[in-house]
């Protein structure tokens, strides 16, 4: 009697480990957000009364009119369902059939069985409480429709070669248990699907043979029909038996029944609401993702938006978020004229992967409302940093003049509301997959004018990011002390190692890039040649390993202490012959005894040891090759350091056997030339500088030319012409360029933006900027003779900033009013006061790759 919905919500939120809830994308949604979604879709007093009229009509027409359905396909502990239930009582009062209406209209689904039970309890409590307070009646609901199932399951009906009718159920989540997502459920006359499943389960429980089971099924239906689907029945029996054996109970039968019940709601729902899971593709099992790709258009080939930059590459465009499937499925659940309302990640507005979703909604639905909380200063979900978007969509073709209600919050919690024609949402009006821009109409139209007189940065330059170690704690640290050409480098975790000084180069992170300047306080052990930029590798060692076929991608490698162990699908006797042939190539191959494996050799060249190689049989046609003595030529301290971390080095995702274990990734000559106009990936607004390739640096009290190595949080373009580089630098630090990017880029924590290649690639660049003598201010540029372009640009900016702004307006083709509209809106977004970010949740920085966005 004293338990409340809030109590159960707390139980649900706290009893499951945070890591489990994160992997499922399950986080409690605040009631004010739930209410905002319900208001956006029209589940208000009038909307609920309309639903009740439909419900009454369905009862009076003996089933000719379908009953209304309000579905939450990922209901969690039932926050949305409970709020709708309470709204129903508030709107309708104590109607005689109010409890029946609520129970029959509300449907919840969740893949987590614990969540399902919590949602049922919460609904029972809410309805009982409302009945007591509103109707003064004691009542316990008995027909709560919350299913343990996978909302994303797809049921396809077809005929097999024998003419048998089979429903094939594709369940993405089941692939993780079974290795296949496809379950055949044959249709047999006079035998309900749930009865067929029960028959098979009882047969499995009684350990009956398939033939006995088949006979039992045939006795309850047409034997000829059974014969036509015999193979599918055998497959179904095998799958269920396998799952039952692994689970140890019959719940899989209940699960499949529920999946079929939920699938029957396709095209029948008046409202689909909720907060579906947000899980990046990196958190979704491969076989689950494959099932989604095979069954959902939003994940299929060509579903991503391709900006088609002429210079900048955009690989990995189709690295999706799990929530897209719930959007597509939600629209499928709706009947024509039904409304979907979700809280999802605001990244779907900007990312490459959500292209087809944006296109489908623009062409086939009316967007009713968009509420962008991505800059909101207070986390809206417990235990997680996120960037929420409320989206309300009606399943109905939009008219040309249909307008969307838009609400955008800024970093101090203020909001702006405005209407936008739906066809004005995409950045590129000719490509419906392109990102959406949420800004007042005058701002969007001014931006479109700018593009007429501009080129995109990604079309003019190849936007590049810095190097990737995939193990900064091994490569990067702060200088502590020096002696006799050896530096003590303090790595991450405060581990100090000795490294040869001449391997150290200044390491610049994104946070070290500011307008017209850069700084660094760390050094990287740069294991590449600073002329060719190839990884440093002992030539004799590479030659031996290559000859033995150990550098092939077909070979597997792992570390065993300081030895690299290659597993080759070749008999050790064949490799033994290859090792001996090294004698003919100028190497001295000496057998080592005693030898604990098949064969042991020491290989020398010119009297110096090259490698020790031990061969160990791992099967008839498989051999393990233990290679000892790998080294960085002439660098014993660095060699010891990297060999002590060999296991971590060879486990890096980007590591390939054609590289030495200490190789750094994305190191190439084109990243270290000319004038690098660079910016940091995450900042309040775009901040750019010239990042030289070389600088004078005092390292261990020795002044020398040092290579400036940017890490992956630094993006840059290379411009060989100093005047063009200077003008590009001035433009990137201009107010108008910064504003453009706020409209295009997607937000990050604390009111910052992600200035990735895909967003900065869209930055409009004035055509005149690309012509050396086009700007009038070029005369000022020409009068500076300093070789430090950062100092020159800063001086010009300080003395001639107003002239620069006026000239940019002119060459961009916008008026003062248009310029002011853009600047005022973008300043309002994140530069009014200080952003207040509460809570200690860790940043949801997907450290994988920017191209996913």
């Amino acid at each position: 009697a004293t338990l409340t919905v809030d109590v159960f919500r707390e139980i649900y939120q706290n009893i499951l480990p945070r890591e489990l809830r994160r992997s499922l994308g399950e986080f409690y949604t605040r009631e004010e957000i739930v209410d905002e979604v319900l208001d956006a879709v029209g589940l208000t007093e009038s909307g609920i009364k309309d639903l009740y009229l439909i419900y009454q009509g369905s009862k009076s027409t003996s089933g000719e009119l379908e009953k209304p359905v309000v579905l939450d396909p990922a209901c969690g502990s039932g926050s949305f369902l409970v709020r709708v239930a309470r709204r129903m009582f508030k709107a309708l009062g104590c109607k005689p059939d109010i409890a029946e209406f609520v129970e029959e209209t509300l449907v919840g689904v969740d893949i987590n069985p614990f969540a399902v039970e919590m949602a049922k309890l919460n609904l029972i409590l809410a309805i009982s409480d409302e009945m007591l307070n509103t109707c003064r009646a004691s009542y316990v609901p008995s027909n709560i429709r919350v299913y343990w199932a996978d909302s994303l399951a797809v049921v396809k009906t077809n005929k097999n070669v024998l003419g048998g009718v089979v429903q094939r159920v594709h369940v993405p989540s089941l692939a993780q248990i079974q290795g296949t997502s496809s379950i055949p459920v044959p249709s047999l006359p006079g035998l309900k699907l749930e009865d067929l499943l029960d028959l098979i389960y009882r047969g499995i429980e009684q350990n009956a043979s398939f033939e006995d089971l088949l006979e039992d099924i045939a006795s309850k239906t047409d034997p000829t029909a059974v014969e036509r689907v015999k193979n599918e029945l055998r497959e179904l029996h095998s799958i269920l038996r396998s799952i039952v054996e692994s689970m140890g109970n019959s719940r899989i039968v209940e699960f499949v029944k529920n999946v079929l019940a939920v699938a029957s709601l396709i095209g029948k729902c008046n409202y689909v609401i909720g907060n579906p899971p947000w899980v990046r593709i990196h958190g979704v099992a491969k076989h689950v993702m494959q099932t989604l790709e095979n069954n959902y258009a939003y994940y299929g080939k060509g579903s991503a938006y391709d900006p088609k930059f002429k210079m900048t590459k955009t690989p990995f465009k189709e690295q999706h978020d799990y929530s897209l499937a719930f959007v597509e499925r939600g629209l499928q659940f709706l009947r024509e004229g039904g409304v979907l309302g979700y809280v999802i990640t605001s990244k779907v507005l900007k990312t490459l992967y959500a292209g087809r979703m944006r296109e489908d909604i623009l062409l086939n639905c009316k967007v009713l409302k968009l509420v962008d909380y991505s800059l909101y200063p207070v986390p809206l979900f417990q235990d997680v940093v996120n960037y929420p978007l409320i989206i309300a969509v009606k399943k109905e073709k939009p008219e040309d003049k249909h307008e969307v209600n838009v609400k955008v919050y800024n970093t101090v919690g203020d909001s702006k509301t405005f209407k936008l024609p739906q066809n004005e949402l995409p950045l590129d009006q000719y490509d419906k997959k392109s990102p959406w821009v949420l800004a007042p109409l005058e701002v969007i139209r001014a931006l479109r004018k700018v593009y007429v007189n501009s080129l995109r940065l990604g079309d003019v330059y190849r936007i590049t990011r810095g190097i990737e170690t995939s193990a900064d704690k091994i490569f990067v640290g702060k200088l502590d002390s020096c002696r006799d050409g050896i530096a003590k480098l303090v790595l991450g975790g405060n581990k100090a190692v000795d490294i040869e000084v001449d391997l150290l180069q200044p390491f610049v992170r994104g946070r070290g890039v500011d307008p017209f300047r850069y700084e660094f306080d760390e050094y990287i052990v740069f294991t590449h040649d600073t002329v060719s930029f190839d990884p440093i590798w002992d030539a004799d060692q590479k030659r031996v390993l290559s000859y033995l076929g150990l550098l092939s991608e077909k070979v597997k490698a792992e570390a065993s202490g300081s030895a690299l162990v290659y597993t080759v699908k070749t008999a050790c006797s064949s490799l033994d012959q290859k090792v001996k042939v090294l004698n003919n190539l100028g190497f001295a191959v000496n057998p080592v005894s005693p030898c604990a494996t098949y064969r042991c050799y020491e290989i020398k060249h010119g009297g110096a040891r090259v490698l020790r190689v031990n061969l160990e049989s791992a099967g008839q046609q498989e051999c393990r090759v233990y290679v000892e003595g790998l080294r960085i030529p002439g660098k014993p301290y660095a060699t010891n350091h990297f060999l002590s971390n060999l296991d971590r080095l060879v486990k890096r995702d980007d590591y390939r056997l054609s590289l030495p274990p200490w190789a750094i990734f994305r190191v190439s000559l084109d990243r270290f030339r000319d004038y690098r106009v660079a910016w940091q990936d995450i900042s309040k607004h775009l901040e750019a500088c010239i990042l030289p390739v070389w600088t004078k640096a005092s390292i261990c009290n020795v002044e020398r030319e040092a290579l400036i190595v940017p890490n992956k949080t630094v993006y840059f373009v290379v411009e060989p012409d100093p005047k063009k580089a200077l003008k590009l630098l001035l433009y990137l630090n201009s107010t108008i360029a910064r504003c453009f990017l706020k409209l295009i880029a997607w937000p990050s924590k604390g009111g910052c933006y992600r200035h990735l290649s895909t967003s900065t690639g869209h930055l409009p660049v004035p055509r005149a900027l690309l012509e050396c003598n086009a700007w009038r201010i070029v005369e000022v540029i020409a009068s500076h003779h300093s070789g430090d372009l950062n100092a020159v640009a800063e001086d010009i900016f300080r003395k001639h900033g107003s002239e620069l702004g006026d000239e940019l307006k002119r060459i961009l083709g916008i008026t003062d009013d248009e310029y002011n509209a853009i600047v005022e809106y973008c300043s309002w977004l994140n530069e009014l006061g200080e952003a207040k970010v509460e809570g200690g949740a860790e940043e949801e920085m997907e450290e994988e790759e920017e191209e996913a966005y």
Side-chain angles (χ1 to χ4, degrees):
T2 59
L3 289 176
T4 65
V5 172
D6 289 332
V7 169
F8 276 106
R9 182 183 297 131
E10 286 301 309
I11 291 172
Y12 178 72
Q13 194 72 12
N14 292 299
I15 201 169
L16 292 181
R18 180 174 182 269
E19 291 73 19
L20 175 59
R21 286 186 288 111
R22 179 185 288 274
S23 70
L24 295 171
E26 291 187 356
F27 293 96
Y28 158 60
T29 315
R30 293 189 180 194
E31 274 187 3
E32 56 266 36
I33 297 297
V34 175
D35 282 332
E36 194 164 8
V37 173
L38 301 183
D39 290 341
V41 298
L43 273 169
T44 55
E45 182 176 338
S46 61
I48 288 169
K49 286 180 177 178
D50 289 342
L51 276 183
Y52 183 69
L53 288 175
I54 296 170
Y55 177 73
Q56 291 286 84
S58 69
K59 292 199 298 183
S60 63
T61 57
S62 302
E64 290 180 17
L65 188 66
E66 289 186 337
K67 291 181 180 179
V69 176
V70 177
L71 171 69
D72 184 343
C75 66
S77 59
S79 297
F80 280 84
L81 298 175
V82 166
R83 292 301 293 166
V84 177
R86 293 198 184 279
R87 284 185 173 217
M88 286 175 165
F89 276 95
K90 185 176 181 181
L92 300 173
C94 191
K95 299 281 186 183
D97 57 353
I98 179 66
E100 177 187 293
F101 167 65
V102 174
E103 290 179 64
E104 292 188 16
T105 302
L106 297 183
V107 179
V109 183
D110 205 278
I111 202 168
N112 182 346
F114 182 69
V116 168
E117 301 309 319
M118 298 301 291
K120 287 178 181 177
L121 283 168
N122 280 328
L123 262 181
I124 288 169
L125 286 170
I127 295 170
S128 298
D129 180 54
E130 291 290 346
M131 286 294 289
L132 187 63
N133 293 327
T134 305
C135 303
R136 306 299 177 193
S138 179
Y139 179 81
V140 178
S142 59
N143 189 31
I144 297 296
R145 298 171 68 194
V146 181
Y147 297 101
W148 173 50
D150 188 341
S151 297
L152 302 182
V154 176
V155 180
K156 298 177 181 179
T157 303
N158 49 47
K159 287 187 176 182
N160 63 18
V161 293
L162 299 175
V165 178
V166 179
Q167 285 187 306
R168 193 160 281 276
V169 186
H170 301 267
V171 190
S173 56
L174 239 148
Q176 200 158 353
I177 304 170
Q178 180 62 20
T180 176
S181 68
S182 177
I183 301 177
V185 185
S187 297
L188 294 168
L191 187 61
K192 292 181 180 179
L193 294 177
E194 54 264 38
D195 292 336
L196 172 62
L197 292 170
D198 285 337
L199 277 173
I200 294 175
Y201 174 69
R202 281 201 300 272
I204 293 169
E205 194 176 39
Q206 294 166 9
N207 203 26
S209 68
F210 176 69
E211 286 69 25
D212 290 341
L213 175 63
L214 209 61
E215 189 176 324
D216 192 18
I217 294 171
S219 68
K220 295 175 173 58
T221 184
D222 179 5
T224 306
V226 173
E227 191 62 29
R228 284 198 292 264
V229 293
K230 181 178 178 180
N231 290 336
E232 285 78 11
L233 285 170
R234 188 186 301 277
E235 183 184 354
L236 175 60
H237 174 259
S238 175
I239 291 172
L240 290 182
R241 184 176 61 189
S242 174
I243 298 175
V244 167
E245 287 173 355
S246 65
M247 295 179 68
N249 59 50
S250 63
R251 292 213 69 190
I252 186 60
V253 177
E254 176 196 347
F255 184 84
V256 175
K257 287 181 185 177
N258 289 345
V259 163
L260 292 167
V262 172
S264 71
L265 296 175
I266 293 293
K268 296 180 180 179
C269 299
N270 301 74
Y271 295 93
V272 174
I273 54 174
N275 173 19
W278 315 352
V279 182
R280 283 286 316 284
I281 188 173
H282 304 283
V284 179
K286 287 183 180 179
H287 37 266
V288 174
M289 199 64 217
Q290 186 64 53
T291 303
L292 295 177
E293 289 173 1
N294 292 339
N295 292 285
Y296 285 89
Y298 292 0
Y299 293 84
K301 189 175 182 181
S303 59
Y305 164 61
D306 186 352
K308 297 177 182 176
F309 296 132
K310 293 178 182 178
M311 297 296 292
T312 295
K313 296 179 180 179
T314 53
F316 311 117
K317 295 184 291 293
E318 293 171 356
Q319 298 202 9
H320 301 80
D321 187 284
Y322 203 37
S323 63
L324 291 192
F326 283 89
V327 175
E328 184 173 351
R329 191 57 160 170
L331 293 173
Q332 292 171 1
F333 277 122
L334 289 176
R335 62 183 63 185
E336 193 63 29
V339 182
L340 176 145
Y342 278 163
V343 187
I344 57 174
T345 170
S346 61
K347 294 173 188 175
V348 300
L349 296 175
K350 309 289 186 183
T351 55
L352 299 180
Y353 65 71
R356 185 164 288 163
M357 185 206 80
R358 292 190 293 263
E359 178 183 50
D360 182 37
I361 289 175
L362 284 176
L363 294 176
N364 300 307
C365 302
K366 285 182 178 177
V367 183
L368 302 180
K369 191 164 189 178
L370 296 168
V371 183
D372 185 5
Y373 277 103
S374 54
L375 292 172
Y376 198 68
V378 180
L380 299 178
F381 294 87
Q382 183 176 318
D383 288 345
V384 66
V385 174
N386 42 62
Y387 313 98
L389 171 78
I390 292 175
I391 182 170
V393 173
K394 188 173 186 179
K395 191 175 181 178
E396 183 177 283
K397 284 277 187 182
E399 304 93 5
D400 290 340
K401 295 183 179 180
H402 174 68
E403 291 188 319
V404 182
N405 292 301
V406 179
K407 188 174 189 179
V408 176
Y409 283 89
N410 68 3
T411 51
V412 294
D414 295 335
S415 65
K416 283 186 184 292
T417 58
F418 45 88
K419 289 181 180 291
L420 277 180
Q422 184 162 313
N423 57 19
E424 292 281 2
L425 285 173
L427 177 64
D428 182 351
Q429 287 185 296
Y430 301 102
D431 190 339
K432 302 302 183 186
K433 290 182 180 178
S434 68
W436 290 358
V437 180
L438 300 191
L441 186 57
E442 63 270 23
V443 173
I444 290 178
R445 288 185 171 165
L447 178 63
R448 298 201 195 288
K449 279 183 67 177
V450 167
Y451 272 110
V452 173
N453 298 302
S454 306
L455 297 171
R456 298 181 302 177
L457 186 67
D459 290 328
V460 182
Y461 294 102
R462 179 182 176 183
I463 300 171
T464 307
R465 69 190 311 195
I467 63 92
E468 167 75 88
T469 69
S470 295
D472 277 4
K473 290 183 178 180
I474 297 174
F475 286 88
V476 181
K478 295 189 176 184
L479 204 56
D480 179 66
S481 59
C482 306
R483 58 174 176 79
D484 302 326
I486 305 300
K488 188 172 290 295
L489 197 67
V490 180
L491 305 171
N494 290 321
K495 180 182 178 181
V497 296
D498 289 336
I499 299 291
E500 287 79 3
V501 172
D502 58 355
L503 284 178
L504 300 183
Q505 305 292 354
F507 189 64
V508 176
R509 297 184 185 271
R511 62 174 178 262
V513 175
D514 292 307
F516 311 115
R517 58 176 50 86
Y518 65 93
E519 61 183 18
F520 60 88
D521 60 359
E522 296 174 293
Y523 293 86
I524 183 171
V525 185
F526 195 68
T527 53
H528 289 244
D529 183 90
T530 56
V531 176
S532 68
F533 293 94
D534 292 331
I536 302 170
W537 203 346
D538 183 286
D540 284 337
Q541 291 187 346
K542 183 177 181 181
R543 190 177 168 205
V544 168
L545 296 175
S546 180
Y547 177 77
L548 294 179
L550 302 180
L551 304 187
S552 166
E553 294 306 317
K554 295 179 180 179
V555 175
K556 295 180 180 179
E558 59 185 344
S560 176
S562 61
L564 199 53
V565 185
Y566 299 90
T567 302
V568 189
K569 290 196 175 297
T570 304
C572 281
S573 57
S574 298
L575 274 176
D576 187 35
Q577 291 302 313
K578 274 197 165 189
V579 172
K580 292 174 181 176
V581 171
L582 288 170
N583 280 305
N584 301 331
L585 301 178
F587 293 94
V589 179
N590 302 315
V592 176
S593 183
C595 175
T597 60
Y598 176 75
R599 294 283 190 277
C600 301
Y601 296 100
E602 186 173 64
I603 301 169
K604 294 184 176 182
H605 187 240
R609 185 187 186 200
V610 176
L611 288 169
R612 174 168 172 153
V613 176
N614 299 344
L615 307 180
E616 178 184 72
S617 179
Q620 192 172 4
Q621 286 295 319
E622 195 168 79
C623 188
R624 289 193 193 93
V625 185
Y626 291 77
V627 175
E628 299 175 6
L630 291 170
R631 61 176 176 266
I632 302 175
K635 310 296 179 189
Y637 288 93
T639 295
N640 289 338
H641 167 58
F642 286 116
L643 289 184
S644 68
N645 290 281
L646 193 58
D647 183 60
R648 174 71 183 88
L649 291 171
V650 299
K651 286 181 178 176
R652 294 178 294 168
D653 287 342
D654 290 331
Y655 176 64
R656 300 293 179 267
L657 292 182
S658 56
L659 301 170
W662 44 81
I664 300 169
F665 311 123
R666 298 199 187 117
V667 175
S668 57
L669 182 59
D670 61 354
R671 283 177 166 81
F672 295 91
R673 62 183 180 86
D674 300 321
Y675 298 94
R676 298 184 295 189
V677 185
W679 58 89
Q680 56 177 297
D681 68 335
I682 303 175
S683 54
K684 190 173 181 180
H685 43 236
L686 189 63
E687 299 178 335
C689 73
I690 299 292
L691 190 65
V693 176
W694 295 94
T695 187
K696 288 279 187 183
S698 178
I699 305 176
C700 288
N701 299 317
V702 176
E703 187 87 6
R704 66 173 171 90
E705 285 287 318
L707 182 74
I708 299 178
V709 181
N711 94 323
K712 66 178 182 180
T713 58
V714 177
Y715 288 83
F716 57 90
V717 299
V718 172
E719 171 53 68
D721 186 309
K723 286 185 179 179
K724 287 185 178 180
L726 185 57
K727 288 196 291 182
L728 180 59
L729 178 61
L730 288 167
Y731 176 63
L732 292 183
N733 283 306
S734 69
T735 299
I736 193 68
R738 290 175 169 180
C739 288
F740 290 150
L741 264 184
K742 289 180 188 180
L743 298 175
I744 299 166
W746 54 269
S748 182
K749 186 179 178 181
C752 293
Y753 288 88
R754 300 293 305 266
H755 298 124
L756 313 171
S757 64
T758 50
S759 51
T760 53
H762 281 98
L763 179 67
V765 178
R767 295 174 189 272
L769 182 145
L770 304 171
E771 302 168 15
C772 281
N773 299 311
W775 283 10
R776 287 199 299 267
I777 203 169
V778 79
E779 297 170 7
V780 177
I781 294 173
S783 67
H784 284 75
H785 303 290
S786 168
D788 184 351
L789 294 185
N790 282 317
V792 172
E794 187 170 27
D795 186 53
I796 292 173
F797 213 81
R798 185 175 61 253
K799 294 178 180 177
H800 304 280
S802 178
E803 297 170 56
L804 177 63
D806 290 339
E807 185 141 17
L808 282 173
K809 279 183 262 183
R810 179 182 63 80
I811 63 177
L812 288 169
I814 53 176
T815 65
D816 286 346
D817 287 344
E818 289 168 331
Y819 178 90
N820 291 336
I822 294 171
V823 171
E824 286 173 13
Y825 179 69
C826 293
S827 297
W828 173 86
L829 284 172
N830 72 335
E831 295 188 49
L832 299 181
E834 292 296 321
K836 299 175 182 178
V837 181
E838 298 181 4
E842 40 182 273
E843 169 65 282
E844 290 289 291
M845 288 300 184
E846 293 85 356
E847 199 176 339
E848 282 75 26
E849 301 302 338
E850 65 89 5
E851 289 88 354
Y853 307 106

